[in-house]
Structure formats: C-alpha cells, structure tokens
Amino acid sequence: MSKIAKTAIFFVLSLVIVAGGVLAGCSKGQAELQMPTVELYQYLKGTTGDLNDATLNQVAEGGGEPGYKFGNMKYIYPTVFAANKDTVAAALFGSPYKFGDGVSTTTYAQLTAGDQLAVDGTIFATKLSAAEQDVVTNALAGFFNRQEVDLSNAKALTATSFYLTLYGKVSQAAADGWKADIEAKAGLLYAGKAYAALTATEKQVVIAVADPVGLFYKGLAGNAVYGEIGFRNGVAAATYPTLAEAKAQLIYSKAYKNLDPVTEAPNVDGAVYAALASYYPDDAARATARGGTAWYLKSLGYVTSDNYSALNYVEKDRVDQALSASFTSGGAKERDYIDFFATPGAMLLFVAEMSDAVPLNQTICYLTLRGNVNATSAEGWKKDVTAGVNSRQAFYRWLAKEGVSAMGAAASLIQLGLQEFYFKIDNPNNYDISLDSLTIDFQVKASTGETVTAARQSLGEQIWVPAEQAINLRVLAPVKTMDVITWQIMIGKSTSQAMTLAADVWVQIQAGTAKWDVSVEATVSNEEETLIETYTLQWPLV
C-alpha cells in the first residue's frame, strides 16, 4: 500500500488517460467537490552526471578538437585572423564586454577562452573560403596521418610518397631513379642487402646517409636546389589558394587550374611565395635563427653540423621543424608557416614512411603534447593509447585536459541528474475536475536523519481529470547539487554543512538507494469551488 499525502516537486512531460475517458468541461449542478487521490506508484533513477575522470575526458575532448583545428587556422592564416578577431568579437558579444571596464569596445583579448573559441569558429566559417577551410582540415588530416605512419613499419619504397609523387608529377623513370639510389646506398652500407631487409636501425642509417629528401628534390627538377624551390613554392600556392588565383589572373589572365603546369604554374607559385609576409625582417635574420637552432640540435646529437648550410636536406627539415616551436606563442606569418611548418612537415612525413614503427614517446602526438602542453599531458596520452584509446581521441583529450581538470575543485557544483517519478491521480467525482496547479518538493533522507530538499518543480497548466477515472503523470525532477547547497544555506546551514549534506544526498541518488519524501500541493477545481490540498508521498513504498 502506498501512503497518500502531499509533497512538492515536478516536471510534467507526459499525460496519460488511464481509463480512456475524454477531457471535457464540468456540467451544471455538480455535487460537492471531492479531492482526488494522488499516488506515487513508480520511481526510476534517471541519468546522472559527475565530474569524474570520464566526464573530464568528454569535456576535454570536446574542447580539444576545435581548439586544435582553429589553432592551426591561426598558424596558416595569421593575417586573416588578426584582421578579423576584434571585429568578430565585438559583433558576437557586443560592447562593452561583460568582463571589461564597462566602457571600452570589446576586443578578442578581453574574451574568456570559451568566447574566444566562438570567435575562432566564426572566423573559420565566415572569413575563410571553402578552399582555405579545406587547407586547414587537410593539415589536421596530415598530422594524424603522420601519427599513423609513426606507429607503422616502413612501406615498400614504391609505396612511399617520395616515389608516388615523382611517378605522378615527373615520370616513372624519375621515381625508379630515386628508388635505385636508396637501394644502392643500402647495398653499399650493408653488404648488398635490399632496403626492405634492413633492421629499423639500419634503415635510419641509410636515411641519414642517402638523404632521400635531397634525392627527391633532384628527381623533381634534375637539381636539388631547383627541386626544393619548386616544391616549396607549390606548397605555398596550395596553402593560399585565394592568393594563387589572384596571381594567376594578374600574370596570365586565367584561373589557376587552367595554367600550364610546366611553363606557367611554377611562375605563379613563385609569385605567391614571394608575396608572403614573414616574422623575420630579412633573409639574414632567418639564417641566424636557423643557425642557432642547428647549433642546439647538434649539441643534442640530432644533426651532424651546427652550420645549417652544411646539413643535408633531411637534417635541414629537422632544424626548420624544430625552429617552428619558437612560434608556439604566436608571431609566425604566412611565409614562416611554409618554411617551418608545411614544407618540413611534408618531407619528414615522407621520411617517416621509410622508417619502422617508433615507440609511443617518439611519435608526433607525444612530441607535440610535450612541446605545446607539458610532459604530464604527453605521458597521459601515452597511458591512454596503451590502454586502447584511439590516438586521435586521446590527443584531443590531453590538449585540453589539464585546463579542464582545474574545474575539479568545483566538482560538487557541477553534478546534476534527472529523476523520473510517476503519479496516479484518481478523480472520485461523477464529473470532470481540473488540476489548476501542482507544486512538488522532492526530498531525500540524509544519513544524519535530516530531510534534504533535492529538487523542486511546479506545473501551472490546467489538466482535466475525467469523471471517475484516473490519469498518470510522468514527472522529471532535475537534481542539481548547486541548488541543494543553496537551499540548505537559505535555511541556516553553514556552507560546510550544506556541502556535506548535498554530497550525502548525491551519493544516495547515484547509488539508487535514496529514500524519497515527495510533497505535492494540488489546486483542484470544478465549476463552483476551488480546493487546495497537500499530499505527502514516499518512495520506496512502505
């Protein structure tokens, strides 16, 4: 038997006519109004959300992915971003900004991290062309392709991007020539062994000595210097398609796609590269930066000389990619992206295809997290991937998790859940009655014996209950720990006491062991009178 009484709280989502009657108005000459019976006949523990590690992971992954994508946008299109960030910030959030001085025009720098992300997304969607958006997306794909390559054993030389690019852009003879040079160096160093038969260490020695990047550039143009220039310029034109179209029209009065690939496109590609801005004021400053980075990598044993000009092309790409780290806090311009990000990134990806799998702590994801976030995030990524988490998912997670984890101190304020209660309301009158309003208070018995309000709800819409029939009401009660704490403080509890009681209630709700007292205040009417009654109900039924 259920105890019939009144209590409070509820959220009506569904109304079911149990006895199959029709909703209608009251008739004349009604008998004295009798209050309906109200019964709590079912409770279901709904979904709950806690700021545990799983929740932190979900939150971090959600922020890490767009954050990384838009971060790449800023590296690739710094001028577009700089020209639009403040205007878009003011357009999205108005002026003055909610956390500003109350007077100044809103700027990007004033925004919270979440609001900055909204500005970044708006710039990506509205200020970049479709082709430029594709460039950003493809850059992300290239990064994760490198991660997959890092975890895979060496491809056959004929399946590498070096070979396939030469085959497609130049000729099979050029591609076969590149392969023959690699095989010759392998055979010379290791007693006639084929490259595929070498150990992982032996392959690295062949790569260091043979310089597959230099051989690739030579295959492109017959001369490594010209080949490097042509490849770099082609990367620039592909990365900045809007500028490439403008240069094609300016020089040849035709669309870029219609240029002759031999006699015209290289000229336009060179014009695109020449037009790009750089952080460095001149080539001398750029050379000085490269020299300093070469010296540092030589001291660590990563390259063979501290003179950048004396390095082979593989080593130069390593220096350039390392130099890109100096731009993690901003400052790089479009030419710097081509010189220190895109071109060496592509070449070292090609080189990685010739290499066997490396340990997780030598992969691009690990090294990026260690360099751009911290060692803790890199090790966290490694642990997750070792446990079976997808490397991309884990990467996005650990890009943002350190910041998100700082929310842990407020964990109890973020807990929330949705509980389901089912009520049966039975009309004993021989005419229809109206439920004019319902106010429901849901309380849980704490371990201390106190009754703690966990949720409140009210319904002000009129509901008709057919004569001598019953309806079922499904009520969803939102439980928010922050609200529980607030209500306890309002009745005189200290903050510490309120948080302790809220934590007690939350644990019971999550465990499904909560004992509920539900108070339902019902306002009921017929054509002639209105009555108010409070029902006190319990769950589990006793």
Side-chain angles (χ1 to χ4, degrees):
M1 290 287 296
S2 62
K3 288 190 176 179
I4 298 179
K6 298 182 182 173
T7 104
I9 207 173
F10 93 123
F11 193 117
V12 176
L13 283 197
S14 63
L15 175 67
V16 181
I17 305 301
V18 173
V22 197
L23 298 186
C26 301
S27 61
K28 299 288 184 179
Q30 295 172 334
E32 183 178 354
L33 176 62
Q34 300 180 60
M35 291 298 289
T37 58
V38 178
E39 177 184 356
L40 173 58
Y41 71 89
Q42 188 176 13
Y43 161 72
L44 296 177
K45 175 182 172 290
T47 57
T48 56
D50 202 350
L51 201 64
N52 53 23
D53 197 57
T55 303
L56 287 174
N57 287 341
Q58 292 175 353
V59 173
E61 289 160 21
E65 181 170 2
Y68 190 62
K69 178 179 181 178
F70 300 145
N72 273 270
M73 173 192 70
K74 296 174 190 177
Y75 278 126
I76 300 171
Y77 298 109
T79 301
V80 173
F81 178 75
N84 289 283
K85 61 179 182 176
D86 291 336
T87 301
V88 174
L92 286 182
F93 300 103
S95 294
Y97 185 55
K98 57 189 175 183
F99 298 129
D101 57 11
V103 178
S104 303
T105 301
T106 297
T107 64
Y108 184 84
Q110 291 177 311
L111 305 183
T112 63
D115 288 348
Q116 286 183 344
L117 196 62
V119 170
D120 297 345
T122 301
I123 292 174
F124 177 84
T126 64
K127 304 303 180 181
L128 299 186
S129 68
E132 290 168 338
Q133 292 174 10
D134 287 342
V135 169
V136 176
T137 302
N138 291 336
L140 296 183
F143 177 85
F144 289 111
N145 182 37
R146 171 62 190 273
Q147 175 64 26
E148 293 177 7
V149 168
D150 284 348
L151 295 176
S152 304
N153 285 329
K155 294 181 177 182
L157 291 179
T158 54
T160 64
S161 296
F162 283 130
Y163 185 94
L164 296 175
T165 301
L166 288 171
Y167 188 98
K169 298 290 186 181
V170 186
S171 66
Q172 182 176 349
D176 288 340
W178 175 86
K179 176 179 178 293
D181 286 343
I182 299 297
E183 292 287 13
K185 190 63 67 174
L188 179 64
L189 292 172
Y190 295 104
K193 289 173 68 174
Y195 185 82
L198 301 180
T199 66
T201 300
E202 290 170 343
K203 288 172 183 172
Q204 292 305 308
V205 172
V206 170
I207 289 170
V209 175
D211 187 13
V213 175
L215 293 175
F216 171 72
Y217 286 149
K218 180 181 177 181
L220 283 175
N223 176 286
V225 173
Y226 293 144
E228 179 194 17
I229 292 172
F231 184 82
R232 178 203 65 195
N233 292 349
V235 171
T239 304
Y240 302 104
T242 301
L243 180 59
E245 288 294 340
K247 292 296 183 182
Q249 291 292 340
L250 178 65
I251 299 173
Y252 294 108
S253 300
K254 61 174 70 173
Y256 184 87
K257 66 179 181 179
N258 295 329
L259 296 176
D260 183 283
V262 176
T263 62
E264 296 176 334
N267 294 330
V268 170
D269 294 348
V272 170
Y273 180 78
L276 300 180
S278 174
Y279 167 81
Y280 298 104
D282 50 42
D283 288 341
R286 186 177 295 101
T288 298
R290 280 173 162 156
T293 305
W295 174 87
Y296 177 68
L297 293 186
K298 172 64 167 59
S299 71
L300 298 177
Y302 292 149
V303 296
T304 57
S305 174
D306 57 9
N307 181 354
Y308 180 85
S309 298
L311 300 175
N312 67 28
Y313 283 98
V314 172
E315 292 179 314
K316 286 179 178 178
D317 285 329
R318 289 174 180 160
V319 170
D320 286 345
Q321 191 171 69
L323 184 54
S324 71
S326 65
F327 295 110
T328 55
S329 59
K333 302 296 185 181
E334 286 78 3
R335 178 177 172 179
D336 305 315
Y337 178 78
I338 299 302
D339 287 348
F340 305 119
F341 292 83
T343 303
M347 289 297 93
L348 293 178
L349 169 61
F350 290 9
V351 170
E353 293 175 346
M354 299 175 62
S355 310
D356 286 332
V358 298
L360 284 173
N361 63 358
Q362 295 178 29
T363 64
I364 192 69
C365 281
Y366 182 96
L367 296 175
T368 300
L369 286 169
R370 191 181 69 180
N372 292 354
V373 186
N374 54 42
T376 299
S377 294
E379 285 297 319
W381 173 87
K382 177 183 172 184
K383 181 179 178 180
D384 283 352
V385 173
T386 302
V389 179
N390 178 272
S391 59
R392 179 184 301 215
Q393 177 185 359
F395 178 76
Y396 286 140
R397 172 185 299 175
W398 285 98
L399 272 178
K401 189 170 181 180
E402 288 290 282
V404 172
S405 295
M407 296 165 58
S412 64
L413 307 183
I414 302 173
Q415 295 162 336
L416 55 90
L418 204 59
Q419 313 303 302
E420 297 184 35
F421 294 85
Y422 292 82
F423 298 88
K424 180 180 179 182
I425 301 176
D426 197 342
N427 178 12
N429 299 281
N430 62 1
Y431 50 82
D432 300 346
I433 61 172
S434 170
L435 292 178
D436 298 327
S437 68
L438 291 169
T439 302
I440 309 176
D441 187 26
F442 297 93
Q443 298 179 329
V444 172
K445 293 182 179 177
S447 301
T448 60
E450 299 172 79
T451 299
V452 178
T453 297
R456 287 174 174 163
Q457 193 57 270
S458 63
L459 179 71
E461 297 179 0
Q462 188 179 51
I463 300 172
W464 289 96
V465 184
E468 299 179 339
Q469 295 185 37
I471 63 171
N472 289 345
L473 291 178
R474 175 176 176 250
V475 175
L476 299 184
V479 177
K480 303 175 185 178
T481 300
M482 182 63 179
D483 289 344
V484 177
I485 294 171
T486 301
W487 292 328
Q488 290 300 304
I489 292 175
M490 288 175 65
I491 62 174
K493 298 290 186 182
S494 68
T495 300
S496 176
Q497 291 171 326
M499 294 183 71
T500 298
L501 287 170
D504 182 2
V505 167
W506 181 254
V507 168
Q508 292 188 50
I509 292 174
Q510 275 199 314
T513 60
K515 295 181 179 179
W516 295 90
D517 286 340
V518 181
S519 172
V520 181
E521 182 180 279
T523 300
V524 180
S525 66
N526 61 13
E527 286 188 343
E528 300 174 351
E529 58 183 320
T530 299
L531 299 178
I532 300 175
E533 187 170 338
T534 300
Y535 302 81
T536 301
L537 314 173
Q538 293 180 333
W539 190 272
L541 301 178
V542 294

